[in-house]
Amino acid sequence: MHDKGLHENEKIKEFNRNEKVKEIFADDSAESDADLINILEKVKSYAPNSDLDMIVKAYKLAKYAHEGQFRKSGEPYFIHPIAVANILCDMQLDIETIAGGLLHDVVEDTEFTYEDIKRIFNKEVADLVDGVTKLGKIKYRSKEETQSENLRKMFLAMAKDIRVILIKLADRLHNMRTLNYMDPEKAKYKATETLEIYGGIAHRLGISKIKWELEDLALRYIDHDGYYELVEKVSMKRSQREAYIDKIVTCLKEKFDEMDIPCDVYGRPKHFYSIYRKMKKKHKTFEEIFDLTAVRILVDTVKDCYAVLGVVHTLWKPIPGRFKDYIAMPKPNMYQSLHTTVVGPDGEAVEIQIRTHEMHNIAEYGIAAHWKYKEGISNSKEDKIEEKLQWLRQMMEWERDLKDPHEFMDALKEDVFSSQVYVFTPQGDVIELPAGSSPIDFAYRVHTNIGNKCVGAKVDGRMVPLDYRLQNGNIVEVLTASNSPGPSRDWLNIVKTPNAKSRIRQFFKKERREENIERGNAILEKEFKKHGIPTTKDPIVDKNMLIIAKKFNQPNIEDLVATVGYGGIMASQVVTKLKELYTREIRQAMKEKKASLPEDIEKHNISDTEYSKKRKKVPSKGVIVEGLDNILVRFAKCCNPLPGDDIVGYITKGRGVAVHRADCVNVHNTNDEFFKKRMIKVSWANSDNQDETFEAEVQIKAVDRRGIVNEITHIVANEKLSLNGINARKGKDSEVTINLLIEVGGTEQLNYIMKKIKAVPGVESIYRMSN
């Protein structure tokens, strides 16, 4: 009934919103708003036949929905969607995208829902709005997890409709323009995120106009002093630089007029972040950076580009190694241009860029300049655009395997937004990879099967090792063999791209499941022993391992173990979580046991009178048995309890009380009800006998080297402790295992001696043994 009431309530709200929408659209007052008229005029200028009614409706609805909301600057919130729509108009985007820009915060920040937008406009617009809407209703454990999941959602929406990211870039650009109203720490966080994520996305999509502005704005908040110092230095030499560039521009125009080549020639100042990055990367001072300004030449045809290049090289001498032909070999983000650096007048180096007007439009707006939503686009161009978005498709493939937010963010920055190298297939196709990539990364980027069958590689015609770091311009040939056993686990330490790592792990996951389970069990057993967790069948361990499997998105324990085996999950991650759950459950069991002790003791025929006696101060072997006096006490050999440990007692038949550590597996690993009923409270006495000692066993894992056993036993002797037993044995990979049986006064002394042994060179681990 309660659910039915909620449903009815939602229906009433929806009806009220629909009625309100009718009123909003019937009101014509907003149609005279200067902001709306400006947006409509812009759209008409590049899409004169468009139906503008959708934009008008989106404007009216957004204006009403954001009424009463204000930005941190104190201005009405609605100025933000207007600014976003104007940026999208400047990119000459379609009606649905402009409407999506106006409505992009409506679902996130107002009473209107996705279903409302879908009903009022259409599914296309609703999906665009939903793609940029953050996951506000889900509570995540950290800021990084929130950021990671929001980016996942955005990229999934991007993969379906690239216009989602164009709206998001416009949204971020306006927010960066008004970041000065935000708290300095938050502003720095936003600026860093913008530089690492959104600047990278703009670059990958070829939208340099937005990329450069985002980077310059971000720099202002990331390095405030560095930014304004750079602005001042650039400003000081501006007039001198402009006069020099004007001289070059005039000379070029005169020459092109003589040759009757129509073109636009102008100077283009370098962006601040570009100069800043060059100074940091090459460790140069501002005075050592010469190419602060470039000259750009725009012509009508590709033929004119090369004709102009010839003219430039006849006027001034080109600098060797500084010529790049991105027309013949475009960048993966569709950028095309000729770049050359020449020794200009007065012996100064000048960079000159030559491209057609269409190439310039693509360089400024990238994917937005020609895409499948624009009228009249050819199938060949549409195919080309889809090809340029291949990096996005590949990213969505490997992101499914990355469940950890930290790992996802690192992979995102590494694969999508790091520095890139451009290499070639033997057929001349350009492959883009993160800097530092290997031939294995190249193989997996071409095709998964080529990666799995890779047995070697040639770079520029010569054989290279598989860990070779590829350089710009390399021609890479992958050698494969049909009988190849598949990738090596060592490749996971070589490859750079998340795509390659994902594919290698997937291979081991699918092809070698039994081997992975065996390997995973061995790894986990070793970790379990180290942390005192039972390695035999244990109901508490099994129950909690299933919980952990679910946490790591594994359907069962076997899949979790297999994933550990192929390196998808670290054994330490599993053991840390298991130890926490296991300890919590044992403590809870101890509390319940203590609560029921009077009943237990009564069942063991210990009288109420005896039980109610005050605690005796006379210790037996340093242990007080609750309610009993002068009783035989012995320490269980399975766990060797020490003063300082939590302990419990067990009433044996004819041999007194056996004292166990509270976390002893033998205490908690039995289903014998009779055993459980014989448990009794015990505690350590405050003994005055300083000479009383207890036996403890420790296990040491160390690098096998001459004298290491002597050094360890020498430490024990120096502390005047009795060494009751020693066992040293060699293992695999030059490892030695040493077991010591020593007498100590309690846990404090044991921890001290273990710390000293751990400091011996070559000792990798030391832990106290149980069972």
Side-chain angles (χ1 to χ4, degrees):
M1 290 296 290
H2 180 66
D3 289 343
K4 186 179 179 183
L6 284 174
H7 183 64
E8 288 298 323
N9 192 31
E10 283 301 317
K11 288 191 78 172
I12 292 166
K13 286 182 179 178
E14 183 185 310
F15 175 80
N16 290 337
R17 288 198 298 271
N18 284 339
E19 291 303 304
K20 191 65 193 175
V21 166
K22 290 176 186 176
E23 289 179 35
I24 296 165
F25 290 166
D27 183 2
D28 295 336
S29 59
E31 293 180 23
S32 59
D33 286 4
D35 290 319
L36 175 58
I37 293 168
N38 181 49
I39 290 170
L40 295 176
E41 288 300 321
K42 283 186 176 181
V43 176
K44 285 177 191 174
S45 68
Y46 65 82
N49 300 322
S50 298
D51 180 4
L52 303 177
D53 187 51
M54 182 182 283
I55 293 177
V56 174
K57 284 183 175 179
Y59 182 94
K60 287 181 178 181
L61 182 63
K63 184 178 183 181
Y64 167 78
H66 291 299
E67 187 68 41
Q69 295 178 352
F70 297 91
R71 289 173 66 79
K72 289 189 181 294
S73 62
E75 298 169 294
Y77 190 87
F78 188 47
I79 68 164
H80 173 62
I82 291 171
V84 169
N86 273 295
I87 294 167
L88 296 170
C89 287
D90 292 339
M91 286 194 270
Q92 299 190 358
L93 297 175
D94 62 314
I95 303 300
E96 287 79 10
T97 311
I98 309 300
L102 286 165
L103 298 165
H104 78 276
D105 277 334
V106 165
V107 171
E108 188 174 329
D109 295 335
T110 78
E111 62 179 324
F112 290 95
T113 66
Y114 168 87
E115 291 300 328
D116 291 331
I117 304 299
K118 183 179 171 182
R119 188 171 52 254
I120 297 165
F121 296 92
N122 56 40
K123 186 178 185 300
E124 195 175 344
V125 173
D127 285 345
L128 289 173
V129 173
D130 183 61
V132 292
T133 300
K134 293 193 283 290
L135 301 165
K137 293 179 183 176
I138 302 173
K139 299 295 179 188
Y140 294 104
R141 287 170 293 182
S142 66
K143 185 184 283 187
E144 187 170 56
E145 188 172 352
T146 304
Q147 183 194 37
S148 167
E149 292 309 315
N150 281 324
L151 284 168
R152 279 182 200 267
K153 179 178 185 287
M154 186 180 73
F155 280 119
L156 280 168
M158 261 174 82
K160 294 175 187 172
D161 193 331
I162 197 65
R163 292 175 294 178
V164 166
I165 196 58
L166 300 178
I167 296 173
K168 189 62 186 176
L169 287 173
D171 167 58
R172 181 52 65 109
L173 180 56
H174 183 249
N175 282 334
M176 288 301 295
R177 287 173 179 172
T178 55
L179 202 59
N180 55 307
Y181 294 104
M182 190 176 273
D183 168 79
E185 276 303 308
K186 286 184 179 178
K188 189 172 183 179
Y189 173 81
K190 282 284 180 191
T192 304
E193 181 187 58
T194 297
L195 195 61
E196 291 181 345
I197 306 296
Y198 294 98
I201 292 173
H203 169 70
R204 292 300 295 259
L205 297 176
I207 312 172
S208 63
K209 193 172 181 66
I210 288 180
K211 171 185 181 282
W212 289 120
E213 189 176 353
L214 285 175
E215 289 178 341
D216 283 356
L217 289 167
L219 179 60
R220 187 187 302 178
Y221 297 96
I222 292 170
D223 186 355
H224 180 274
D225 294 341
Y227 174 80
Y228 282 105
E229 185 182 337
L230 186 58
V231 169
E232 186 180 350
K233 285 180 176 178
V234 168
S235 181
M236 283 169 60
K237 290 191 173 183
R238 178 170 290 153
S239 57
Q240 179 185 342
R241 214 165 37 249
E242 285 177 351
Y244 182 72
I245 290 298
D246 286 345
K247 184 177 177 181
I248 292 171
V249 168
T250 302
C251 180
L252 286 170
K253 279 183 176 177
E254 288 174 357
K255 192 70 177 175
F256 296 145
D257 286 342
E258 285 177 27
M259 301 181 69
D260 199 25
I261 301 175
C263 60
D264 295 326
V265 186
Y266 57 92
R268 182 192 69 84
K270 288 263 185 175
H271 295 273
F272 294 120
Y273 181 71
S274 176
I275 301 167
Y276 178 89
R277 187 175 56 187
K278 185 175 276 191
M279 288 167 63
K280 293 287 182 184
K281 194 174 180 181
K282 298 190 176 179
H283 306 289
K284 290 187 174 184
T285 63
F286 177 79
E287 287 68 30
E288 293 175 294
I289 305 291
F290 295 105
D291 55 341
L292 295 176
T293 311
V295 172
R296 185 171 288 153
I297 305 169
L298 303 183
V299 295
D300 293 330
T301 66
V302 173
K303 180 183 173 184
D304 288 342
C305 290
Y306 289 100
V308 163
L309 177 68
V311 173
V312 170
H313 283 177
T314 56
L315 286 171
W316 301 293
K317 188 177 181 180
I319 296 175
R322 296 293 300 272
F323 170 67
K324 294 184 180 73
D325 188 344
Y326 294 119
I327 293 178
M329 293 179 292
K331 289 185 179 182
N333 64 5
M334 299 179 292
Y335 178 86
Q336 286 186 289
S337 187
L338 297 176
H339 290 196
T340 185
T341 304
V342 297
V343 181
D346 307 322
E348 285 194 32
V350 184
E351 183 187 12
I352 295 176
Q353 299 173 354
I354 307 162
R355 62 182 73 147
T356 66
H357 292 282
E358 185 186 2
M359 289 173 191
H360 179 63
N361 191 34
I362 294 167
E364 293 285 287
Y365 295 110
I367 201 100
H370 59 193
W371 60 345
K372 65 183 177 184
Y373 301 99
K374 290 203 170 183
E375 294 176 13
I377 190 164
S378 66
N379 288 334
S380 61
K381 271 196 174 180
E382 187 175 325
D383 291 341
K384 189 178 180 183
I385 292 163
E386 287 299 316
E387 183 187 321
K388 299 307 177 188
L389 290 175
Q390 190 58 33
W391 65 272
L392 177 60
R393 312 278 182 254
Q394 289 170 338
M395 191 190 75
M396 295 319 298
E397 285 178 23
W398 59 251
E399 76 85 25
R400 294 188 199 104
D401 298 326
L402 301 178
K403 304 303 178 188
D404 179 66
H406 183 77
E407 192 180 358
F408 173 75
M409 291 305 298
D410 285 349
L412 192 66
K413 292 168 190 175
E414 186 68 64
D415 193 59
V416 184
F417 311 126
S418 64
S419 299
Q420 308 293 309
V421 292
Y422 301 98
V423 295
F424 298 93
T425 67
Q427 291 74 37
D429 296 326
V430 180
I431 301 289
E432 182 183 23
L433 293 164
S437 291
S438 67
I440 305 171
D441 291 290
F442 175 90
Y444 278 103
R445 182 58 61 89
V446 174
H447 198 278
T448 301
N449 285 340
I450 292 176
N452 287 342
K453 297 294 181 184
C454 173
V455 293
K458 287 183 179 180
V459 171
D460 298 334
R462 62 185 181 86
M463 291 294 294
V464 295
L466 289 176
D467 61 356
Y468 174 84
R469 296 304 175 202
L470 298 173
Q471 308 296 318
N472 274 319
N474 283 159
I475 299 171
V476 187
E477 181 184 353
V478 179
L479 307 178
T480 60
S482 57
N483 60 349
S484 164
S488 159
R489 290 186 189 277
D490 294 336
W491 288 9
L492 289 169
N493 300 319
I494 296 172
V495 295
K496 189 83 171 172
T497 57
N499 176 55
K501 286 181 182 176
S502 171
R503 292 290 166 254
I504 294 166
R505 285 173 178 157
Q506 218 171 62
F507 174 86
F508 288 115
K509 183 178 180 180
K510 288 179 180 176
E511 302 293 324
R512 301 182 181 174
R513 180 172 172 78
E514 292 305 317
E515 180 189 322
N516 291 331
I517 292 171
E518 189 178 332
R519 181 184 170 87
N521 275 322
I523 294 169
L524 286 171
E525 187 172 338
K526 189 176 179 181
E527 284 293 315
F528 282 12
K529 281 182 178 176
K530 190 185 294 185
H531 293 274
I533 297 168
T535 55
T536 54
K537 195 74 176 170
D538 181 287
I540 297 177
V541 170
D542 284 352
K543 183 178 79 174
N544 288 310
M545 279 290 279
L546 189 57
I547 292 169
I548 292 164
K550 301 294 184 189
K551 284 181 182 289
F552 283 107
N553 296 300
Q554 301 298 322
N556 51 53
I557 296 172
E558 197 174 70
D559 282 337
L560 175 67
V561 173
T563 308
V564 171
Y566 71 75
I569 298 170
M570 298 295 291
S572 57
Q573 292 176 280
V574 175
V575 172
T576 301
K577 289 183 183 295
L578 179 61
K579 197 172 181 183
E580 182 186 324
L581 294 169
Y582 188 78
T583 307
R584 189 187 303 160
E585 192 150 340
I586 284 181
R587 283 175 181 164
Q588 183 60 35
M590 285 169 60
K591 282 182 184 177
E592 291 169 4
K593 185 65 66 184
K594 286 176 183 176
S596 63
L597 267 174
E599 182 186 343
D600 287 346
I601 289 177
E602 187 178 0
K603 287 179 180 176
H604 289 305
N605 299 317
I606 300 170
S607 68
D608 291 340
T609 309
E610 286 178 308
Y611 185 77
S612 61
K613 284 179 183 177
K614 289 186 177 179
R615 198 185 234 184
K616 301 300 177 185
K617 293 185 179 178
V618 182
S620 289
K621 285 195 172 183
V623 172
I624 293 173
V625 181
E626 191 75 53
L628 295 177
D629 190 10
N630 296 324
I631 190 167
L632 177 66
V633 172
R634 66 184 182 83
F635 296 113
K637 292 294 182 184
C638 57
C639 56
N640 290 328
L642 299 176
D645 288 329
D646 288 334
I647 52 176
V648 293
Y650 169 69
I651 302 169
T652 67
K653 293 180 180 179
R655 292 191 298 158
V657 173
V659 178
H660 292 260
R661 275 163 50 184
D663 60 356
C664 176
V665 174
N666 286 337
V667 172
H668 297 280
N669 197 26
T670 179
N671 293 318
D672 188 344
E673 287 301 318
F674 181 71
F675 180 92
K676 291 179 178 178
K677 288 173 183 176
R678 298 179 75 87
M679 302 302 293
I680 191 168
K681 283 185 180 179
V682 293
S683 59
W684 294 105
N686 295 320
S687 176
D688 295 325
N689 184 3
Q690 300 295 319
D691 297 326
E692 194 168 14
T693 59
F694 304 82
E695 208 167 59
E697 184 177 3
V698 296
Q699 186 170 94
I700 302 153
K701 298 282 187 182
V703 176
D704 186 16
R705 64 173 176 82
R706 183 176 295 177
I708 192 166
V709 175
N710 286 338
E711 288 177 43
I712 291 169
T713 54
H714 189 64
I715 288 172
V716 176
N718 278 351
E719 294 300 321
K720 297 182 172 56
L721 299 178
S722 295
L723 181 60
N724 294 349
I726 181 169
N727 182 358
R729 56 203 177 278
K730 273 191 177 184
K732 294 178 182 177
D733 303 323
S734 301
E735 184 184 69
V736 64
T737 302
I738 306 163
N739 282 57
L740 301 180
L741 202 60
I742 54 181
E743 288 188 13
V744 292
T747 54
E748 189 176 335
Q749 190 174 31
L750 179 65
N751 290 336
Y752 173 75
I753 197 74
M754 287 171 69
K755 188 176 180 181
K756 292 202 77 171
I757 293 171
K758 182 71 171 70
V760 172
V763 171
E764 294 175 340
S765 65
I766 178 170
Y767 51 92
R768 183 179 170 188
M769 294 291 286
S770 297
N771 304 316

